[in-house]
Amino acid sequence: MISKKIEKALNRQIKLEGESSHYYLAMASWCEVNGFNGISKFLYKHSDEERMHMLKLFMYVNERGGHAITPELKSPQSNFKGVPEIFQHILEHEVMVSKEINELVEQCLSEKDYTTHNFLQWYVTEQMEEERLARNILDKLNLIGNDKSGMYMFDRDLESMKTEDGAE
Ligand code: OFO
């Protein structure tokens, strides 16, 4: 059974994962309407994965005797200056989510909730991967700069790039 404090913290994280999913969806849509179809597909997949992250927490809360609350999600930014700006936003967003996960992990330790602490390890690893992926993509975009053919290939490559281990 989780404590009320942990239940509240997990519900907060549920909201954050839901917002992440929304955020990726908004960026996928911008890419789609601006002709970056490969990047758009990558971001749609990522949006789905964020929803899975939310669901995983959702089910955990209920399994452990809490009550998962469907979060209210604010509408994210829908216009961007370009693809590099999108990935810069992604990196900053994921760094912020990692910080929140770390705080949650710390809270579990201080509450002696080792089961939830254990459950959250998957998120710790996942965040590390997501930050790494965003940094790698930004490095590539820096190399491409204003080269249009480079951007064309980048868009094509991203369509088949994995968003996380095991996901196509
Ligand atoms: Fe849920 O992994 Fe990103 O935010």
Side-chain angles (χ1 to χ4, degrees):
M1 182 101 186
I2 46 174
S3 69
K4 280 284 158 209
K5 230 175 168 175
I6 295 294
E7 178 182 346
K8 198 172 162 206
L10 289 174
N11 268 312
R12 210 178 138 218
Q13 190 61 35
I14 284 172
K15 183 174 166 68
L16 199 52
E17 300 289 348
E19 280 171 355
S20 297
S21 176
H22 252 39
Y23 197 29
Y24 280 99
L25 195 59
M27 295 185 285
S29 177
W30 184 89
C31 286
E32 193 166 38
V33 299
N34 283 282
F36 299 107
N37 292 332
I39 304 170
S40 162
K41 286 203 175 107
F42 172 85
L43 295 170
Y44 276 126
K45 266 191 288 184
H46 209 133
S47 171
D48 278 349
E49 275 158 26
E50 293 295 354
R51 184 166 191 278
M52 286 309 296
H53 298 173
M54 180 184 78
L55 272 183
K56 204 173 153 108
L57 278 159
F58 211 85
M59 286 164 184
Y60 177 81
V61 168
N62 286 348
E63 259 167 33
R64 303 270 301 134
H67 186 184
I69 305 298
T70 310
E72 189 182 336
L73 302 176
K74 61 172 192 282
S75 178
Q77 173 180 350
S78 53
N79 279 308
F80 302 90
K81 283 197 209 95
V83 172
E85 193 204 21
I86 285 187
F87 283 95
Q88 190 57 43
H89 274 309
I90 290 179
L91 178 61
E92 282 161 21
H93 180 79
E94 293 304 342
V95 167
M96 180 274 288
V97 174
S98 299
K99 202 169 146 265
E100 295 290 328
I101 293 279
N102 287 342
E103 274 168 25
L104 198 50
V105 165
E106 208 176 293
Q107 199 176 355
C108 289
L109 279 183
S110 69
E111 290 275 306
K112 296 192 168 43
D113 184 343
Y114 302 114
T115 315
T116 306
H117 180 270
N118 191 35
F119 167 79
L120 288 173
Q121 294 315 302
W122 182 87
Y123 287 85
V124 172
T125 312
E126 178 64 21
Q127 282 309 125
M128 209 171 65
E129 275 301 305
E130 288 190 350
E131 281 187 35
R132 186 184 57 83
L133 184 63
R135 279 197 188 93
N136 285 346
I137 291 177
L138 274 173
D139 286 346
K140 282 201 180 85
L141 286 169
N142 271 336
L143 282 175
I144 293 167
N146 293 325
D147 177 0
K148 286 211 167 73
S149 61
M151 198 59 190
Y152 176 82
M153 281 189 316
F154 172 80
D155 181 59
R156 200 195 51 193
D157 289 352
L158 225 64
E159 182 168 353
S160 53
M161 191 185 271
K162 289 183 175 184
T163 47
E164 67 180 13
D165 284 348
E168 280 284 340

